[in-house]
Amino acid sequence: MQDTEAPEKSAPADHAGDRLKALEAESDIAADYLEELLDIADLDGDIDMDIDGDRAAVSIVGADLSNLVGENGKVLEALQELTRLAVYRETGERSRLMLDVSNYRANRKAELEEVGRKAIEEVKASGEAVKLPPMTPFERKVVHDVVAAAGLTSESEGEEPRRRVVVQPA
């Protein structure tokens, strides 16, 4: 006799929940790595972890951490890459983790949003494309997002480290 009952189906995996757990794990690994680094460098800092959209976000806040930011955020960029490598070493997965130190990125983001708004105004007034100064990938993304929200288009041109955003007229 044949079994006519349909086999039990397992519930689909909760991909959003799995992704959230993976991002939380990235944050934990990054925080452990950064705490060790702060100890080695004998720096005082508190580590805050968050999930920002589809990426882990880790911030170090403290008294004087300007050495971890460096000129124009160059040390911060390098530290972020090292932290991403530490996450990769533990998980085997590439990380898009965002690191901030002493609110440098948060403050820089606000400045860049204003740069983007001014470029939009200039493009609308002149009808000509506007080339912005060279920026890091993080900085370009902020400007691209502001331009897109205003209904215009932008593109990146050039080679690192001289890659820049060009805001196009509508």
Side-chain angles (χ1 to χ4, degrees), residues 20 32 69 71 84 118 121 152-153 157 160:
L20 181 61
D32 290 345
V69 174
E71 183 181 345
R84 286 177 174 176
K118 286 181 179 177
E121 289 173 16
L152 295 178
T153 59
E157 71 174 23
E160 295 293 353

Side-chain angles (χ1 to χ4, degrees), residues 37-138:
L37 184 78
L38 289 173
D39 285 345
I40 291 168
D42 196 27
L43 294 171
D44 290 325
D46 294 321
I47 297 179
D48 295 330
M49 300 179 294
D50 196 9
I51 305 299
D52 184 12
D54 62 345
R55 65 173 60 188
V58 178
S59 298
I60 305 173
V61 293
D64 182 23
L65 298 171
S66 59
N67 288 342
L68 294 180
V69 174
E71 183 181 345
N72 298 320
K74 288 182 181 173
V75 174
L76 173 57
E77 287 290 328
L79 185 56
Q80 176 175 278
E81 287 307 309
L82 289 171
T83 305
R84 286 177 174 176
L85 284 171
V87 171
Y88 177 76
R89 186 186 66 217
E90 293 290 321
T91 66
E93 298 289 324
R94 186 177 173 277
S95 172
R96 295 182 59 237
L97 177 129
M98 184 65 67
L99 176 63
D100 197 359
V101 173
S102 298
N103 291 318
Y104 174 82
R105 282 196 200 277
N107 295 335
R108 184 71 178 131
K109 182 178 179 186
E111 292 170 8
L112 290 163
E113 287 170 342
E114 184 59 25
V115 167
R117 285 190 287 275
K118 286 181 179 177
I120 291 164
E121 289 173 16
E122 188 178 334
V123 166
K124 286 181 176 179
S126 71
E128 303 281 324
V130 171
K131 289 184 179 185
L132 298 174
M135 298 177 180
T136 66
F138 161 76

